[in-house]
Amino acid sequence: MKLIKLGLVSIISYTQTVSDYIDFLFEKGFSFGEDVLGFIKFGQSYTGTNDEIVIAAIELTLKIQKEFDGSFFISLLEMLKQEGIETRKGALRHVQHLNLLEKTPTSREK
């Protein structure tokens, strides 16, 4: 299993399901109530987004809001869907472009 470092959490590579990612976050100490799990399921169903984008939206919601905010999560999923973004990398670039998240310098930029 390949891990990718992200700052807030490390995620398992893109073959992971949303359910696997939620389990991973539980192992890292995050606890979500049934309301949050409901928002996540509703958001994915409502927007028709793939697991990779839903995982990215969960990650970005936690990074930007410092907690899970269901309204922000749904809005983020809708925006990513509307913009045609289908990868975690694209989602990260897009929120950085919107100045919602600071760009982390790469080793080449340091």
Side-chain angles (χ1 to χ4, degrees):
M1 214 178 283
K2 181 179 177 189
L3 289 179
I4 302 169
K5 276 299 227 196
L6 301 176
L8 177 66
V9 293
S10 298
I11 65 168
I12 300 166
S13 66
Y14 306 116
T15 57
Q16 168 182 54
T17 66
V18 172
S19 191
D20 291 338
Y21 185 65
I22 299 287
D23 290 343
F24 173 77
L25 290 176
F26 276 122
E27 290 173 11
K28 293 296 181 186
F30 289 88
S31 61
F32 299 117
E34 289 300 315
D35 57 332
V36 170
L37 299 175
F39 256 106
I40 292 169
K41 287 179 185 178
F42 170 77
Q44 183 168 22
S45 175
Y46 177 70
T47 59
T49 48
N50 65 40
D51 281 1
E52 183 176 349
I53 288 299
V54 174
I55 291 167
I58 294 167
E59 173 195 354
L60 291 167
T61 297
L62 293 172
K63 281 184 174 182
I64 295 166
Q65 298 297 101
K66 309 300 184 213
E67 64 183 6
F68 190 86
D69 177 331
S71 298
F72 184 87
F73 171 75
I74 299 288
S75 295
L76 183 57
L77 276 179
E78 288 176 321
M79 177 183 61
L80 295 173
K81 178 74 172 186
Q82 183 178 12
E83 294 294 324
I85 296 168
E86 296 181 353
T87 65
R88 180 195 166 273
K89 192 175 197 175
L92 185 59
R93 269 195 228 130
H94 191 68
V95 297
Q96 288 171 337
H97 174 76
L98 296 173
N99 293 317
L100 294 174
L101 186 66
E102 243 180 76
K103 184 177 180 188
T104 317
T106 64
S107 58
R108 283 181 260 154
E109 296 173 327
K110 290 182 182 176

